[in-house]
Amino acid sequence: MLDDYQQLVDEISAALGAPATLENRDFGLIAFGAHDSGDDPEGADEPALDPVRTRSILRRRSTAAVRAWFEGFGIARAQAPLRIPPDPAAGVFMGRICLPVRHRGVVHGYVWLLDDGHLSDLELGGPAGPPDPRLARAMETAARIGALMAAEARADEELGRLLRDLLTGPPDGRDTARTALRAALRGAAEGPLALVAVTPWAPEDAEGGGPAGLPNPPGVAAVCAVPPAPGHAPADPAAGRSPAAGLAALVRLRAGTALDPARTAAEHLLRSPGAAAPASRAAGMPGSGAGMPERGASAAGSGVSAAGVSAPRRGLDDLPAAWPEALAAARAARADARLGPVAEWSAIGPYRLLAALPAAAGPDPAVRALLEPSHAELARTAEAFLDCAGQASRTAQALGIHRQTLYYRLSRVEQLTGLDLDAGEDRLLLHMALKSARL
């Protein structure tokens, strides 16, 4: 499929005599066509680039700021070519012509033509007259690209549906989903695999009423949106995001225990528009005081997305058990920034047990008062003390306070909770209650 895209982009580049790139709807690079005019004595001109184009080619995607800048010209709604003026302040030193790549009313991507001035007389078409014939041919080629991208999207959606049925569907339908997914993935279905979970996730709707688009980074065999587990539906109402669907991605590994490809895919997914960016981070966590998350700051109450990676598996048979691992790791990464933004199941410690517990109505009665906003500092102190295995000197150093101040705060914790911090079981209850509150 990639060779088909490359050939079509090369056709557009040659027809218009300009470097062209094809990007998907999320501004991920698919193909790049460098035009050779034949004027160079060595037979190959250096293509004219600017910082935005160079970054797109080297990193294979554009930043969110660049995407927002270009979308401000209405490219997602455009039915015909658009001319984008240069803006050196935005790193766009050269103008562009954008050819929207559509199929049946849905935008799937964009072809970008760099204009160093030689395309300035190119007629785009409109009320004043028809477009330049070369541009009309380029739009016909863009329509062929759109048909290919639509077919690829339909195939990806079917893989995603099978993956979702395998991970979260009724038990009596999982064998059917597994068999169909194995047939679709062929050899990759038997190799080493891992699941990545991203939560929360709010996929954008495609323009024109099409299906919601999902990213598909390199190495990902299938991807799907997954409804939240009962009782675990984080959301960011202020941003208008729906109660958190998660995203599941099945990643091919190069070796049986090396999770690097899964971590790379997770980092890519966290940069996608469906993931909530850290800019929306707000201090505080559910049921606790604002500021308690300062020790391994929590994103759980702020709507910020995080990712989790399951333990590796070979083949598809054990994937339903891998999904709770990936989801637990994502929740742990949101609960404690020291683990994230991408956490592996093997590294989340007590959250492996806590994330598996049924959703509770609230914190344990013994610690409910401690988790009030007015006692946030005491809650932080208690958590740090227990994280340091009850060693006063380490705790005081970690918090930057005098040991006498620590002892006073711990005595207040005992008064509020009725727990004895010299008793192992009481310490365990308090520690687990504080960690659970982060989830």
Side-chain angles (χ1 to χ4, degrees):
M1 188 74 76
L2 186 58
D3 289 341
D4 294 332
Y5 291 138
Q6 186 64 57
Q7 181 179 348
L8 293 171
V9 171
D10 287 342
E11 285 183 19
I12 293 175
S13 183
L16 293 170
T21 54
L22 170 63
E23 294 180 340
N24 62 23
R25 192 169 50 219
D26 293 332
F27 282 51
L29 182 67
I30 298 174
F32 168 59
H35 173 62
D36 175 11
S37 68
D39 297 332
D40 189 280
E42 299 297 325
D45 287 343
E46 289 293 328
L49 300 175
D50 62 14
V52 167
R53 171 63 64 87
T54 301
R55 190 182 303 114
S56 169
I57 293 172
L58 293 179
R59 300 184 181 178
R60 302 200 67 79
R61 69 181 299 107
S62 296
T63 65
V66 167
R67 172 180 174 168
W69 189 86
F70 280 110
E71 287 182 339
F73 290 92
I75 61 173
R77 299 181 300 275
Q79 305 287 332
L82 284 177
R83 196 179 293 277
I84 310 293
D87 183 353
V92 182
F93 293 169
M94 301 174 63
R96 276 131 168 100
I97 293 177
C98 174
L99 310 183
V101 176
R102 287 181 168 270
H103 183 71
R104 295 183 177 176
V106 176
V107 62
H108 290 276
Y110 311 98
V111 173
W112 297 97
L113 298 161
L114 277 184
D115 181 12
D116 59 2
H118 72 288
L119 297 179
S120 58
D121 295 333
L122 194 67
E123 191 61 53
L124 301 189
D132 186 289
R134 294 172 298 165
L135 194 58
R137 290 196 299 273
M139 283 300 292
E140 291 173 359
T141 304
R144 290 159 58 196
I145 295 174
L148 283 176
M149 295 182 76
E152 189 174 13
R154 287 192 297 271
D156 289 345
E157 286 174 11
E158 176 61 15
L159 286 175
R161 184 188 65 79
L162 293 172
L163 178 62
R164 182 172 57 251
D165 289 349
L166 176 59
L167 299 183
T168 64
D172 57 357
R174 290 183 181 178
D175 287 342
T176 301
R178 184 183 294 109
T179 300
L181 190 59
R182 181 177 287 117
L185 296 179
R186 290 174 288 195
E190 305 306 326
L193 302 165
L195 281 171
V196 170
V198 178
T199 182
W201 184 265
E204 296 183 326
D205 289 335
E207 290 286 334
L214 294 176
N216 196 1
V220 171
V223 62
C224 64
V226 177
H232 299 300
D236 183 4
R241 304 174 75 84
S242 59
L247 186 80
L250 180 63
V251 182
R252 297 182 291 267
L253 304 179
R254 291 187 288 269
T257 58
L259 290 170
D260 291 349
R263 293 190 65 92
T264 299
E267 291 164 358
H268 184 116
L269 292 168
L270 287 175
R271 294 193 297 268
S272 299
S280 63
R281 187 183 301 274
M285 76 183 195
S288 76
M292 178 178 171
E294 286 177 11
R295 180 169 175 80
S298 166
S302 66
V304 176
S305 294
V309 180
S310 75
R313 300 297 201 278
R314 182 162 291 277
L316 305 179
D317 291 344
D318 203 27
L319 286 188
W323 173 240
E325 294 177 2
L327 197 56
R331 293 180 61 207
R334 299 186 72 232
D336 192 333
R338 291 174 297 180
L339 299 173
V342 179
E344 296 177 16
W345 162 254
S346 61
I348 62 174
Y351 293 110
R352 290 167 63 160
L353 294 176
L354 296 174
L357 297 175
D364 187 274
V367 299
R368 189 170 291 134
L370 182 62
L371 294 175
E372 292 296 324
S374 58
H375 298 130
E377 191 171 59
L378 295 179
R380 270 203 318 276
T381 301
E383 186 180 20
F385 176 70
L386 295 167
D387 284 348
C388 292
Q391 297 181 28
S393 58
R394 282 180 56 201
T395 307
Q397 184 177 10
L399 294 176
I401 60 176
H402 194 277
R403 288 179 65 170
Q404 291 302 318
T405 303
L406 173 65
Y407 292 141
Y408 169 75
R409 292 183 184 176
L410 293 178
S411 68
R412 290 282 294 122
V413 169
E414 289 183 322
Q415 293 171 13
L416 279 170
T417 62
L419 300 175
D420 181 0
L421 293 183
D422 289 330
E425 289 187 353
D426 282 4
R427 282 192 185 189
L428 178 62
L429 172 60
L430 179 58
H431 207 180
M432 293 301 96
L434 290 171
K435 295 299 185 187
S436 294
R438 290 183 172 274
L439 292 172

